[in-house]
Amino acid sequence: MSPDWFKTRGYRHFDLPVGERFAGKVMNPNFVLRHSFLPLLHYTKSEKRYKKCPKTGTRTITSKDRPIKYASHRDACILSYYASTLNKLLDAHYDATGLSDSVLAYRALGRGNYDFSAEVLEFAKNRAPVTILAFDVSSFFDNLDHTLLKRRLKALLGVSSLPEHWMRVFRTITAFHYVDMEELKANPTFAARLKEKSRDRIASVEELKARGIKFHPNPELAKGHRRGIPQGTPISAAASNLYMMEFDAAARAFCDSIGAMYRRYSDDILVICDCPHGTAAEAKIMDLIKAERLEIAPHKTERTEFSGTGLGVAGKAAQYLGFALHETGPTIRESSLARQWRKMRRAIRRTRKIAERNIASGKSAKVHTKRLYRRFTHLKVCDEEGVRTVRNFSSYGRRSADAFGENEKITPQIKRFERAALREIEKLKRDLN
């Protein structure tokens, strides 16, 4: 039986996928001490964002870039084991200090974003009039201070100095090196390999060096700052929660003292307090974040007033975990809906292109739409094993409506999306079959 922290990974890297036999070795500290960690692979994940001006109604398009760095198969297996150890210690810490309901991200709580958001909305409505403060930490992973991170790791492990195997793991995520995917694609040899439908490794370290591929250091270390961990490794999430241990305790203690709610989901911080405490609560969070050597951009701090009248201030909604929390009821954020519409239309276009090519070449006589139904509609489609399942945005929306107990706004949003998806799929079938 494989460990609960172990999972196989199908991506290509600078080594081959590993199995349970390798996973059994990583629990031995001596094995970790002998292990040579490989450079991470880096790519930039770009996400379009559409923002609507409340006054003019015009929309502007921006792009949010997220630098993702992922580990080789062997390294990921090792980091998964240490992340599992960290998470168990953190869960015990949260239970002992009463923080378990305040720290929400990267934990196996058996609940979804809609559950957390429904809890927030219920608290706000029951306590109204209240002020809802939402903070977003700037460049969170890039700015985690190594000295503070190491101090918290020692505190959680209950040691005065880190054991050498833990030190190896710590160095792996702080003094990391990475290879840029775009630089690999620019090299003819590696570009050809990346296009292959294969599970072979992309290259060995020796090949990378021989062909002049650069091993980039942690950008923050290169600038002379002892900070920054990669976003995308199996231990990154646990390390971020570890880093915020003292902040969580201090923020929760302050909020308890004024009868406020405190929640943190990764770098998203939420405080709901009585209106007279709003300014003091905002100042306190800013001071606590500064003590962690982090920053909150003022323009990313949102302040929403719930009046208790069912209207709010000028109809403004609090934005939280993909939902717009109105006093009159919750909705799925427009940006989240728009993202799904774009995904659906992009998938339709891609399916049409593939079907036209296959029909023209005689490989197929019709367009195959089962995957589209499964991804974008509420219809239950049988998979290869004959199981009728649906686990997609549509089912997520319906679960959200159930969680809030107020589906007069969310359900119409989802049904409108489902009807559009069905129309597009049926049109595709009429055109090509």
Side-chain angles (χ1 to χ4, degrees):
M1 183 175 178
S2 61
D4 57 0
W5 50 265
F6 173 74
K7 70 174 182 179
T8 55
R9 293 171 166 84
Y11 56 72
R12 296 181 68 191
H13 212 287
F14 303 134
D15 65 351
L16 297 173
V18 297
E20 294 179 24
R21 184 178 177 184
F22 182 84
K25 298 177 181 178
V26 306
M27 293 180 278
N28 182 346
N30 291 327
F31 179 82
V32 177
L33 290 175
R34 294 192 301 269
H35 178 75
S36 296
F37 287 89
L38 296 175
L40 306 171
L41 249 179
H42 163 83
Y43 71 96
T44 301
K45 184 177 181 181
S46 294
E47 184 179 291
K48 284 185 179 179
R49 300 216 166 173
Y50 296 77
K51 193 169 183 179
K52 185 177 180 181
C53 177
K55 293 182 179 180
T56 63
T58 56
R59 297 194 177 197
T60 57
I61 303 174
T62 59
S63 177
K64 182 171 183 178
D65 294 336
R66 234 180 251 280
I68 303 298
K69 298 176 178 66
Y70 58 103
S72 67
H73 295 280
R74 288 173 175 249
D75 296 355
C77 187
I78 292 172
L79 295 178
S80 292
Y81 168 66
Y82 282 83
S84 174
T85 303
L86 264 187
N87 283 326
K88 288 174 183 175
L89 291 171
L90 283 168
D91 282 340
H93 166 74
Y94 295 143
D95 289 338
T97 55
L99 287 168
S100 194
D101 61 346
S102 291
V103 183
L104 307 178
Y106 316 130
R107 300 180 61 209
L109 298 174
R111 302 168 69 200
N113 286 1
Y114 41 80
D115 295 310
F116 303 139
S117 299
E119 186 180 55
V120 163
L121 181 59
E122 183 181 10
F123 182 92
K125 292 176 73 173
N126 289 341
R127 293 287 299 271
V130 293
T131 296
I132 303 176
L133 297 166
F135 308 87
D136 188 351
V137 181
S138 302
S139 303
F140 184 48
F141 287 88
D142 292 339
N143 287 310
L144 299 187
D145 184 86
H146 295 169
T147 302
L148 294 183
L149 182 62
K150 186 176 181 181
R151 185 185 303 165
R152 270 117 207 214
L153 179 56
K154 289 191 290 186
L156 192 67
L157 294 174
V159 297
S160 57
S161 61
L162 288 180
E164 189 54 36
H165 60 108
W166 271 104
M167 196 64 204
R168 288 292 309 281
V169 172
F170 180 80
R171 291 195 193 104
T172 298
I173 61 169
T174 54
F176 61 87
H177 284 75
Y178 67 91
V179 169
D180 195 300
M181 182 68 80
E182 293 305 314
E183 292 178 16
L184 282 181
K185 291 178 180 179
N187 181 286
T189 300
F190 301 134
R193 289 185 192 176
L194 287 168
K195 292 178 182 178
E196 295 172 356
K197 291 185 177 179
S198 167
R199 299 193 75 179
D200 290 341
R201 64 181 180 176
I202 300 168
S204 67
V205 170
E206 290 72 25
E207 283 181 292
L208 294 171
K209 290 179 178 178
R211 295 187 181 274
I213 298 297
K214 188 175 180 180
F215 289 17
H216 300 273
N218 176 348
E220 294 302 317
L221 282 182
K223 297 174 190 175
H225 306 302
R226 290 179 49 81
R227 66 188 181 197
I229 67 170
Q231 185 174 357
T233 77
I235 203 172
S236 300
S240 70
N241 275 346
L242 168 70
Y243 188 89
M244 298 296 281
M245 274 174 54
E246 294 184 13
F247 173 87
D248 290 327
R252 175 62 184 267
F254 171 78
C255 288
D256 286 348
S257 72
I258 60 172
M261 170 185 272
Y262 166 70
R263 295 289 184 269
R264 183 178 63 80
Y265 193 100
S266 187
D267 57 351
D268 292 327
I269 299 162
L270 184 90
V271 173
I272 305 178
C273 61
D274 294 335
C275 295
H277 296 301
T279 301
E282 183 174 351
K284 182 66 174 179
I285 294 298
M286 290 292 192
D287 286 343
L288 291 175
I289 271 294
K290 188 176 180 181
E292 299 300 323
R293 301 175 190 173
L294 296 171
E295 291 183 0
I296 291 174
H299 69 277
K300 288 189 174 182
T301 300
E302 293 187 358
R303 184 168 181 155
T304 309
E305 309 291 340
F306 264 39
S307 65
T309 63
L311 298 175
V313 178
K316 185 180 177 183
Q319 308 295 322
Y320 190 60
L321 301 184
F323 296 93
L325 305 181
H326 303 264
E327 286 197 46
T328 54
T331 60
I332 297 174
R333 289 181 65 172
E334 282 191 20
S335 58
S336 300
L337 279 169
R339 192 179 306 117
Q340 292 302 319
W341 283 75
R342 291 196 298 274
K343 284 182 179 180
M344 180 263 289
R345 286 169 175 151
R346 190 161 55 241
I348 294 280
R349 289 196 299 270
R350 186 166 56 247
T351 302
R352 177 184 290 273
K353 186 176 180 181
I354 293 172
E356 287 174 342
R357 185 170 63 242
N358 289 341
I359 291 171
S361 65
K363 290 182 179 179
S364 178
K366 64 177 184 178
V367 58
H368 298 281
T369 56
K370 183 182 290 187
R371 182 175 295 177
L372 293 174
Y373 280 113
R374 186 180 293 125
R375 280 189 67 189
F376 301 111
T377 77
H378 63 291
L379 302 180
K380 295 182 178 179
V381 183
C382 294
D383 60 17
E384 291 80 0
E385 299 176 354
V387 179
R388 299 175 66 207
T389 58
V390 56
R391 196 79 173 176
N392 54 20
F393 180 72
S394 176
S395 65
Y396 174 82
R398 291 168 183 264
R399 291 196 305 275
S400 300
D402 291 340
F404 283 105
E406 303 178 56
N407 59 8
E408 72 279 0
K409 290 188 175 183
I410 291 180
T411 300
Q413 287 180 302
I414 294 301
K415 287 186 175 180
R416 188 161 57 248
F417 173 76
E418 292 168 349
R419 287 193 297 268
L422 286 170
R423 281 197 305 270
E424 294 281 354
I425 295 171
E426 291 304 315
K427 182 178 185 301
L428 179 65
K429 290 165 68 175
R430 287 195 306 271
D431 291 346
L432 297 183
N433 290 348

